[in-house]
Each structure stands twice: as structure tokens, then as C-alpha cells.
Amino acid sequence: MRQLILSSLVLMAASQSAFADAEYIDRARVLSVAPQVQQINQPRQECHTEYVRESVYESNRSNTGAIVGGVAGGLLGSTIGRGNGRIAAAAVGAGVGAIVGDRVGNQNAYGNERVVTRPVEQCVMVDQWQTVTTGYVVNYEYQGRQYSTMMDRDPGPVLDVAVSVRPNVVQIQPMPAPGYRPAAMRGRGPHQHRQYW
């Protein structure tokens, strides 16, 4: 009898492991598809040209008076003095003559102020919100039951599903043989005291 039970358990376990990985592809009916959307900001740079007005000052000053004054002062200084003093007097006369000639030549000179316009490029960052689809919630029916899943695309009216087949059996633990007692129960009884030293 024990041999029969043991052999039937072995056969059941072998058949269960043989069919444990049975899987096939079937089709399910799609009930609804709901796209999942999200708002995403992708800012961009916008540039435009502005024209800025600026005032520019232009001087009417002339160097002619300084040159003429320097030459005249040098000649006048060279007539004064003798020997090496003559050269020094000519140099001092040229310097003083240049200063006086500049002031006399430009005493009525005024600068002109004029307005110019120049282009300036101005750039700013502008928000650009876009609606992006991040996936699809798909509700489908298979063998009279309803399921839901998230997909990256719209599957259409039908959906391929992977079906796994395994036996619906309860694993039976083998019964111990009659007269068998676990090791914890062996001994002379629960109240036995042992001395170890």
C-alpha cells in the first residue's frame, strides 16, 4: 500500500513539473483605452533686435594753433640768449608758444553733440508647455474576466495575452510510518532531568 501511495506521489510531482511551464498566446477583447497625458515645459530662447539711441560728442578742436604757436615760440626763444642758453630758450619758447597758440586757436571751438542709433540684440527664455502622452491604460476582457494594464501604445480592438497553464492540485506531504516518533519525542518522558557535570 505504501509503495502505491509513494509511486502515485512521484507520478503527480513529475506530471506537475512537466506541465508547469506550459504557456501559449491567446487574444483578449479590449474594452477601453485611456491615454495618460502629462504637461512638459520645453523653454526656448526668443531674440529680437532693439535700436538704442545714444548721444555722441564730437569736438571741433584744431591742432593748427598749437603748431603755429610752438614754431613762433621756438623762433622767438632762439633770438633770446647766447650759446647753450639759446637752445634752452628755444625749447621753452616752443612749449609756451604751443600752449598759447592752442588756447587762442580753439577759444571759439565748441563740440557738437549728435544722436546715433545702434542695434542691440535682446534675448529672453519663453516657456513652451506641451501635452505629451506617456502611456495608455488598457482595460480588456479574457475568459469572462476583466483586467487592466499599462501599455506604451494603443493596442486596437484585440490584445495578445500570454496564458500560463499549470495543474490545480494540492501537494500532499507523505505521512510518517506507524510507530515513528520524531527525535524530539524520544526519551524517557518530559520530566526527566539530566546532569551534565
Side-chain angles (χ1 to χ4, degrees):
M1 179 72 174
R2 235 186 326 170
Q3 282 290 359
L4 180 63
I5 292 173
L6 188 61
S7 61
S8 64
L9 287 175
V10 169
L11 283 173
M12 249 183 2
S15 66
Q16 184 175 354
S17 63
F19 291 107
D21 294 338
E23 189 173 290
Y24 64 95
I25 304 297
D26 202 357
R27 294 194 143 191
R29 184 171 63 95
V30 174
L31 301 174
S32 66
V33 177
Q36 302 299 297
V37 295
Q38 184 178 4
Q39 293 286 327
I40 295 176
N41 186 17
Q42 294 179 332
R44 70 178 190 282
Q45 188 178 33
E46 283 187 357
C47 297
H48 63 279
T49 303
E50 290 183 357
Y51 291 92
V52 178
R53 294 171 56 96
E54 293 181 344
S55 296
V56 178
Y57 182 79
E58 293 178 341
S59 175
N60 289 335
R61 293 180 61 83
S62 172
N63 293 332
T64 306
I67 294 170
V68 172
V71 171
L75 290 175
L76 185 62
S78 68
T79 59
I80 302 171
R82 306 211 187 272
N84 287 339
R86 194 177 216 183
I87 295 173
V92 171
V96 171
I99 292 171
V100 171
D102 182 55
R103 288 191 181 167
V104 170
N106 291 312
Q107 67 183 352
N108 293 325
Y110 295 103
N112 289 334
E113 185 179 353
R114 69 183 177 106
V115 177
V116 294
T117 305
R118 67 181 180 89
V120 176
E121 187 177 41
Q122 300 284 341
C123 294
V124 293
M125 294 301 289
V126 177
D127 287 339
Q128 184 177 8
W129 290 93
Q130 295 179 348
T131 302
V132 177
T133 302
T134 57
Y136 298 86
V137 175
V138 179
N139 295 313
Y140 61 97
E141 182 182 34
Y142 181 73
Q143 298 288 330
R145 291 187 173 191
Q146 293 185 3
Y147 303 92
S148 182
T149 188
M150 185 78 169
M151 298 183 70
D152 61 346
R153 59 181 177 78
D154 185 342
V158 291
L159 174 67
D160 287 343
V161 291
V163 180
S164 178
V165 178
R166 61 183 172 80
N168 188 16
V169 293
V170 178
Q171 295 232 350
I172 300 172
Q173 296 293 331
M175 295 290 291
Y180 169 78
R181 286 183 13 183
M185 296 179 71
R186 292 184 190 147
R188 289 187 234 155
H191 297 292
Q192 180 181 1
H193 297 286
R194 295 185 183 174
Q195 278 191 340
Y196 294 102
W197 60 86

